[in-house]
Amino acid sequence: MNDFHHLMAETLIVLQFITVIVALFCLPKLKNSHWKWFVFYICIVFIVEALSRWGLKNHSSYRVYLYDFFGIPIQFLFFYWLYANKSLRNKRLFWICCGIYILSFLPYFMIFTKVNIVYSLSYTVGNILLMLLVFLEIFKQIKSEKILEFRTNMMFYINIGIMFFYIGTLPFFSFYGLIYKNHALWVNYYAFFMVANHVMYLLFIAALIWGKPNTY
Amino acid sequence: MGETEYILVIILFNIFLLAFLIAAILFVVQYRSKKKENLATLQKQEILHQQELLSSQIDMQIQTMQHIGREIHDNVGQKLTLASLYAQQLAFENKALNISHKIENIGEIINQSLSELRLLSKSLTNQHIDSSPISSLLKQEFAKIDELKKFKTSLNIDVNDYALPYQTKSVILRIVQEFSQNSIKHSGCQMITASLTRTNDQLVLTITDDGHGFDLSEHKGAGIGLTNMRNRVESLGGYYEMKSDKNLGTTLCVRFDTV
């Protein structure tokens, strides 16, 4: 890791903290809609990040478990719920996505010597499902008459943030083993991953500030 | 991970990227077309709103005039009738012989005022424009000009069978009145010509005088009459064009869509 990476890691946690503050500040505006759970989600993600950064600083194996079985699944499951259940109003789609995602963890319990493969598999599957939901959401927005008021649509900002982050990082996590061996590639991809992460949080802040709950 | 899985993920990634680009382009295109649609709807609503405003203004004017007309007839008219009766009674009783002639004069003046007032009241209360076809309204207007015996007139109407809405009829009539008044007062013309024709989807009013004309640029925004005419036409979605050349007279052409 070079200086730039360190700097990005520092700014990211600060940005995540700012997002938490903005989210808590916006909580009164969102408390009567399902968006209040978005505030909780942002807080939980920040707590996980902080825990892995400071709490489990010297326990890297626990860190992997924290991300694999709590940090990343909770993100995917929350977004499945937000997209399928709340935005697209399709409960069955939500349960199907959850089912497929949970099933993608099964190989871990059968071949737990190859942890990395499982990590990549569940991440890839989770990502593909989320991408499908993202595109369904985009087409919903395109077809909607409310496309003219996209500036106040929280899902618009969140959708772009998710798309940018997950499309950008899908090869990074899927090929993590491969990329890790090629140092130059890893350095560049890690920088992109961090930038995408920053952009996503900035878009979350935009959604909280400009978005109006209950409009969509 | 084997090579097949890598290729699979690369393909997937490319599909997502492509879909993302298509979605972004679609979003922009759709946004623009929806915005255009929205703008057109807003403009349509604005025009409709203007028309409603004009029609309600006209309705209010009519109601006010009818109210004034009724007041004149019922209130002032009754009082004048009473005054006339008193005057006649005074003249009949012959109590003041030296001024009986004056009293009779007063009675006569009161009677004249009464009949003029009744005419005025009648013109205010009747639904003249609404109930008459545009041809007869314009004919009456030109007959008034003919009565002056100073000008030649020519009127060509080709829309006898065509039932026009009240607003259009009223605007056409007011424009003809305004134009002919201007021609009579200012243009020094000898002839006023008007024609009202109907093409497939348009109603065309052309009115011309052979006066000395004026420079349109000098009169821009000067006369309230000209501005009023233009506003009235445009408020009904019509097209208004005035041409005037020095010594060649003035022509006004007004077109309304009938579809």
Side-chain angles (χ1 to χ4, degrees):
Chain A
M1 278 216 219
N2 57 25
D3 290 345
F4 180 67
H5 288 160
H6 279 297
L7 180 73
M8 292 297 269
E10 293 298 325
T11 52
L12 182 64
I13 194 87
V14 172
L15 189 61
Q16 283 176 329
F17 182 66
I18 293 172
T19 313
V20 170
I21 300 293
V22 173
L24 290 173
F25 192 72
C26 292
L27 190 59
K29 172 174 98 172
L30 308 172
K31 71 175 176 208
N32 292 325
S33 70
H34 64 270
W35 288 103
K36 61 177 175 277
W37 299 111
F38 184 59
V39 176
F40 289 116
Y41 161 80
I42 284 172
C43 294
I44 288 171
V45 170
F46 176 73
I47 291 167
V48 169
E49 289 288 330
L51 197 67
S52 111
R53 203 177 160 82
W54 294 298
L56 301 171
K57 203 175 178 181
N58 302 316
H59 304 87
S60 61
S61 59
Y62 288 118
R63 231 156 70 176
V64 171
Y65 286 121
L66 177 70
Y67 275 112
D68 276 10
F69 295 102
F70 186 72
I72 290 172
I74 205 165
Q75 294 188 24
F76 277 128
L77 294 176
F78 173 76
F79 283 120
Y80 294 162
W81 171 80
L82 184 66
Y83 276 83
N85 203 10
K86 286 296 165 187
S87 184
L88 301 167
R89 294 173 203 280
N90 190 338
K91 273 189 182 168
R92 194 199 282 176
L93 186 66
F94 167 64
W95 288 114
I96 289 172
C97 289
C98 289
I100 294 173
Y101 181 62
I102 289 164
L103 280 180
S104 72
F105 276 90
L106 277 184
Y108 178 85
F109 300 102
M110 292 184 240
I111 2 165
F112 43 75
T113 44
K114 295 177 180 176
V115 175
N116 274 346
I117 293 175
V118 180
Y119 180 55
S120 296
L121 180 72
S122 67
Y123 191 83
T124 309
V125 169
N127 222 326
I128 290 166
L129 292 171
L130 187 59
M131 275 305 111
L132 289 174
L133 293 176
V134 163
F135 286 117
L136 286 176
E137 171 63 26
I138 283 197
F139 287 113
K140 181 198 150 197
Q141 285 182 18
I142 288 174
K143 279 195 287 177
S144 161
E145 282 299 315
K146 291 187 172 160
I147 190 172
L148 293 170
E149 296 155 26
F150 72 87
R151 287 178 192 84
T152 59
N153 184 358
M154 293 180 90
M155 277 311 275
F156 172 77
Y157 298 99
I158 290 173
N159 212 18
I160 291 183
I162 297 285
M163 205 151 58
F164 192 67
F165 179 75
Y166 286 97
I167 284 187
T169 54
L170 173 65
F172 183 62
F173 281 107
S174 297
F175 302 150
Y176 196 81
L178 191 74
I179 291 170
Y180 199 71
K181 284 177 204 152
N182 185 338
H183 186 67
L185 189 65
W186 188 87
V187 166
N188 288 327
Y189 230 115
Y190 191 75
F192 174 77
F193 162 71
M194 292 306 267
V195 171
N197 222 331
H198 279 74
V199 171
M200 184 174 75
Y201 275 98
L202 286 173
L203 281 161
F204 283 179
I205 293 175
L208 288 163
I209 293 173
W210 288 302
K212 284 181 186 160
N214 298 331
T215 323
Y216 297 88
Chain B
M1 254 194 190
E3 203 168 320
T4 333
E5 283 89 342
Y6 282 132
I7 290 170
L8 208 69
V9 175
I10 287 173
I11 290 171
L12 255 176
F13 175 71
N14 282 312
I15 289 172
F16 281 155
L17 204 67
L18 204 70
F20 166 64
L21 287 174
I22 292 169
I25 293 166
L26 268 177
F27 191 91
V28 173
V29 170
Q30 190 68 4
Y31 175 76
R32 289 173 71 134
S33 84
K34 283 263 164 72
K35 198 167 187 182
K36 232 183 226 174
E37 251 173 52
N38 191 36
L39 218 71
T41 323
L42 277 180
Q43 276 171 344
K44 229 182 237 174
Q45 276 174 349
E46 176 69 26
I47 290 169
L48 265 174
H49 174 71
Q50 290 291 340
Q51 283 177 349
E52 276 168 17
L53 212 69
L54 185 79
S55 104
S56 60
Q57 271 177 348
I58 290 171
D59 281 349
M60 261 166 62
Q61 275 177 4
I62 291 172
Q63 276 176 14
T64 315
M65 286 200 298
Q66 284 180 343
H67 178 70
I68 295 170
R70 272 197 301 273
E71 276 300 300
I72 288 173
H73 185 266
D74 299 347
N75 197 355
V76 186
Q78 294 303 324
K79 281 177 183 163
L80 276 179
T81 312
L82 206 62
S84 164
L85 279 175
Y86 280 142
Q88 277 174 21
Q89 201 179 357
L90 271 178
F92 183 73
E93 283 172 354
N94 278 334
K95 279 183 180 169
L97 279 171
N98 52 338
I99 53 162
S100 70
H101 181 63
K102 283 179 183 171
I103 291 170
E104 274 169 19
N105 272 351
I106 291 169
E108 220 164 276
I109 291 168
I110 292 172
N111 283 341
Q112 275 173 9
S113 312
L114 204 57
S115 58
E116 277 172 29
L117 215 62
R118 279 190 181 133
L119 276 177
L120 182 65
S121 156
K122 201 180 164 194
S123 74
L124 285 173
T125 46
N126 74 3
Q127 300 286 329
H128 192 49
I129 294 174
D130 211 14
S131 57
S132 314
I134 186 70
S135 54
S136 75
L137 289 171
L138 292 184
K139 274 177 195 159
Q140 283 168 18
E141 209 49 46
F142 270 65
K144 278 185 205 164
I145 302 171
D146 285 337
E147 274 174 23
L148 297 169
K149 290 181 180 153
K150 275 186 182 175
F151 309 95
K152 284 181 191 166
T153 56
S154 158
L155 180 65
N156 168 33
I157 298 168
D158 195 19
V159 289
N160 285 348
D161 59 328
Y162 186 62
L164 290 169
Y166 173 80
Q167 277 97 337
T168 316
K169 266 202 287 195
S170 142
V171 167
I172 289 173
L173 182 66
R174 299 297 171 222
I175 285 172
V176 170
Q177 282 173 337
E178 179 75 31
F179 188 94
S180 52
Q181 289 298 319
N182 283 347
S183 298
I184 292 165
K185 279 187 208 157
H186 310 296
S187 79
C189 65
Q190 292 185 332
M191 176 136 187
I192 300 171
T193 317
S195 79
L196 185 66
T197 50
R198 186 190 174 196
T199 61
N200 280 342
D201 53 355
Q202 277 191 328
L203 187 71
V204 185
L205 168 74
T206 316
I207 176 160
T208 314
D209 71 29
D210 60 349
H212 46 62
F214 62 95
D215 190 349
L216 279 169
S217 58
E218 283 174 18
H219 283 73
K220 231 171 204 174
I224 197 160
L226 293 178
T227 322
N228 258 349
M229 278 202 264
R230 178 183 283 275
N231 285 347
R232 275 165 174 266
V233 173
E234 283 173 357
S235 67
L236 287 178
Y239 169 84
Y240 171 100
E241 186 187 31
M242 185 175 253
K243 278 184 202 160
S244 187
D245 285 310
K246 290 235 161 169
N247 302 322
L248 285 172
T250 308
T251 303
L252 171 66
C253 182
V254 173
R255 286 199 289 266
F256 293 102
D257 285 334
T258 53
V259 181

